[in-house]
Amino acid sequence: INAEYGGQYLSISTGYRKGKKPENASKVEIWFTPRFLIEMGVNATAKHFQVIFPAQWRETTPVGIFWTWGGWDDLSSMDYLTTQNMDNLSKINLYENWELGYGGYWRSVGWVVGRKGAHVGIANFTLCL
């Protein structure tokens, strides 16, 4: 990640978003989420995933990637990629993975392609699993 902008505009975590964090209010949050965590919590702390789980998250896909804005209160506002296996996720960078995903929140607000630094940071980050 671009050192100048990475920490200022991005928060990359494992698990899933359970609420708004003040320190991420001005950042893109990227979550690497194991499918089994959502399966265990879909009727409790992960209810906001019910619109996509299990119908849009293949059993053969152990990890999903989720992009959201840290300042949003609505936990269901996210772009996501839940169709690629681990090998495919590792072959391309985060921006290219985002382009394969679903949701449209970032496309509708134009944030990722329009904000200096965030696009550069995401485009230059490749997930190695």
Side-chain angles (χ1 to χ4, degrees), residues 4-117:
E4 183 179 354
Y5 298 109
Q8 184 177 356
Y9 294 114
L10 294 173
S11 171
I12 300 175
S13 303
T14 57
Y16 62 92
R17 189 170 193 241
K18 296 176 186 158
K20 189 163 58 168
K21 293 182 175 183
E23 65 271 21
N24 291 344
S26 299
K27 297 179 182 182
V28 173
E29 292 181 351
I30 301 171
W31 292 88
F32 293 94
T33 305
R35 188 181 189 280
F36 77 88
L37 283 180
I38 302 308
E39 187 173 22
M40 289 177 10
V42 75
N43 292 315
T45 58
K47 283 185 179 180
H48 50 291
F49 288 93
Q50 288 177 345
V51 295
I52 66 166
F53 188 86
Q56 295 177 30
W57 195 336
R58 300 175 184 167
E59 285 188 42
T60 58
T61 306
V63 174
I65 305 175
F66 297 86
W67 293 261
T68 190
W69 179 244
W72 285 339
D73 292 317
D74 182 2
L75 297 179
S76 64
S77 295
M78 63 185 141
D79 287 355
Y80 57 93
L81 180 60
T82 54
T83 58
Q84 301 297 308
N85 64 35
M86 302 293 269
D87 288 336
N88 289 342
L89 290 177
S90 298
K91 290 178 184 174
I92 58 177
N93 66 41
L94 280 175
Y95 181 74
E96 292 167 321
N97 276 302
W98 171 76
E99 288 185 307
L100 293 174
Y102 303 95
Y105 290 97
W106 295 114
R107 290 163 185 82
S108 67
V109 297
W111 201 92
V112 172
V113 293
R115 183 117 183 206
K116 182 180 177 185

